[in-house]
Amino acid sequence: MKSFIRLTDYSVNDIYDIFALTDEVRKGKYQGILKGKSVILFFPNSSIRTRVSFEKGVYLLGGQSILFPMETLDKKEDIRDVCGYLNNWADLVIVRHKDIHLVEQMSACLSVPVINAMTDVNHPCEVLADMYTLSKIRKDFIKDRFLFVGERGNIGLAWKEASEVMGFSLEQCCGRGYEIDGLTTYHNIHDAVAGKDIVCTDSLPAGALVDFKECHVTTEVMEMANDGALLNPCPPFYRGEEVSEEVIESDFFVGYEFKKYLLEVQQAIMIYCLTK
């Protein structure tokens, strides 16, 4: 059994193995694989997409999901003791918490796999699902040139993890002071988007909007990218802030169905963690 915490803990072959499992899940395999098993989830109340897809995924695989608020992990009791008791009953633990070190500590203390459902420094399930979807609609997505538009946060850092594992080109467009170490960075979207195939964005804190005024993604901007370029905003996105209203209504936007495989990819991650 293996935990899923950072994409960089995995190899290219591991990622493609999870893609292959996802294909099998979509064909109806592995139904009932979680029968008699309990999956413990720690999620904040604000989580929608990741929580719904994980809970439904557990149900469709025949398992029992037991949900706790994320804040349960912040109580006075030592996390080693929490995990010591969970070892008696849990078969898998899924955690969404800002502190990745807490997630790593839980993985070290638990005798069952831990899946990172998002921290302040990465969001591996989300980005893995995006890569899987791209693999279905692009000829060879690892040969595409990616641009991340946003600050140094969990989405940008997760895309950097993905680029390091898969080997695709990734650059960043951001306001000054928001750069991700190790990436080629632009501070003007018109310079940044030239030659790109996939444009990924992340929402911005209110206080950062003025710093990103030269990074706004519009239809005109996307027309400057390579032919067939796609816009993949990480939800929640905000029309009129990091992306314009009209670009979300354009053919550049990959659409809401782009995220539909999040369910099956997360099921594949659970299966992979329990069987490897």
Side-chain angles (χ1 to χ4, degrees):
M1 294 186 292
K2 184 174 183 179
S3 290
F4 186 80
I5 298 176
R6 300 176 187 265
L7 290 173
T8 46
D9 294 334
Y10 284 73
S11 68
V12 174
N13 289 337
D14 293 330
I15 299 302
Y16 282 122
D17 283 347
I18 295 174
F19 285 1
L21 276 174
T22 305
D23 291 338
E24 292 178 335
V25 168
R26 291 175 59 199
K27 293 175 183 176
K29 292 189 67 175
Y30 299 104
Q31 292 183 12
I33 194 172
L34 293 182
K35 184 177 181 180
K37 296 185 182 297
S38 297
V39 180
I40 313 300
L41 302 98
F42 295 93
F43 272 84
N45 291 331
S46 59
S47 178
I48 299 175
R49 286 158 289 268
T50 310
R51 174 181 163 185
V52 168
S53 49
F54 261 123
E55 285 202 71
K56 181 172 183 176
V58 171
Y59 168 77
L60 292 174
L61 294 175
Q64 173 197 32
S65 60
I66 302 173
L67 176 68
F68 291 94
M70 177 188 72
E71 294 76 16
T72 306
L73 297 173
D74 297 325
K75 61 182 182 178
K76 185 177 179 180
E77 185 180 8
D78 194 299
I79 196 65
R80 293 172 294 180
D81 300 321
V82 173
C83 293
Y85 289 110
L86 286 180
N87 278 327
N88 291 319
W89 312 296
D91 297 287
L92 181 67
V93 176
I94 301 170
V95 184
R96 186 165 183 157
H97 193 280
K98 61 183 180 180
D99 186 0
I100 195 170
H101 301 297
L102 176 66
V103 179
E104 291 172 329
Q105 187 179 7
M106 292 181 71
S107 178
C109 295
L110 285 164
S111 58
V112 299
V114 174
I115 295 175
N116 170 9
M118 195 180 82
T119 70
D120 276 357
V121 298
N122 65 356
H123 199 346
C125 296
E126 177 95 9
V127 170
L128 185 64
D130 283 0
M131 289 195 293
Y132 175 80
T133 305
L134 286 170
S135 77
K136 298 303 179 185
I137 62 176
R138 304 292 291 188
K139 183 176 181 180
D140 188 353
F141 80 95
I142 64 172
K143 292 183 178 178
D144 284 332
R145 297 184 63 195
F146 287 68
L147 176 67
F148 171 69
V149 183
E151 64 172 341
R152 185 185 185 279
N154 55 4
I155 300 301
L157 292 171
W159 276 113
K160 184 185 177 187
E161 285 185 11
S163 70
E164 291 171 354
V165 174
M166 307 303 293
F168 58 77
S169 169
L170 175 67
E171 297 179 343
Q172 181 189 16
C173 181
C174 65
R176 297 186 185 277
Y178 297 88
E179 297 85 357
I180 296 173
D181 294 341
L183 295 186
T184 297
T185 304
Y186 302 84
H187 300 111
N188 182 296
I189 191 64
H190 297 92
D191 297 331
V193 78
K196 303 304 190 297
D197 301 290
I198 311 294
V199 178
C200 304
T201 70
D202 190 16
S203 56
L204 299 167
L209 290 174
V210 65
D211 300 324
F212 278 76
K213 62 183 179 181
E214 302 298 328
C215 305
H216 188 56
V217 180
T218 64
T219 303
E220 178 187 2
V221 164
M222 291 301 301
E223 289 171 347
M224 299 171 64
N226 287 343
D227 290 343
L230 299 176
L231 172 64
N232 175 32
C234 180
F237 57 83
Y238 301 107
R239 302 172 186 229
E241 294 189 4
E242 74 274 21
V243 292
S244 66
E245 175 81 30
E246 86 280 354
V247 78
I248 295 300
E249 303 301 328
S250 75
D251 291 337
F252 294 111
F253 174 49
V254 291
Y256 313 109
E257 287 194 355
F258 188 82
K259 295 291 184 183
K260 69 181 179 180
Y261 296 130
L262 181 63
L263 171 65
E264 290 93 347
V265 169
Q266 290 178 169
Q267 287 178 298
I269 292 170
M270 289 188 281
I271 295 165
Y272 189 89
C273 289
L274 287 168
T275 57
K276 293 297 180 180

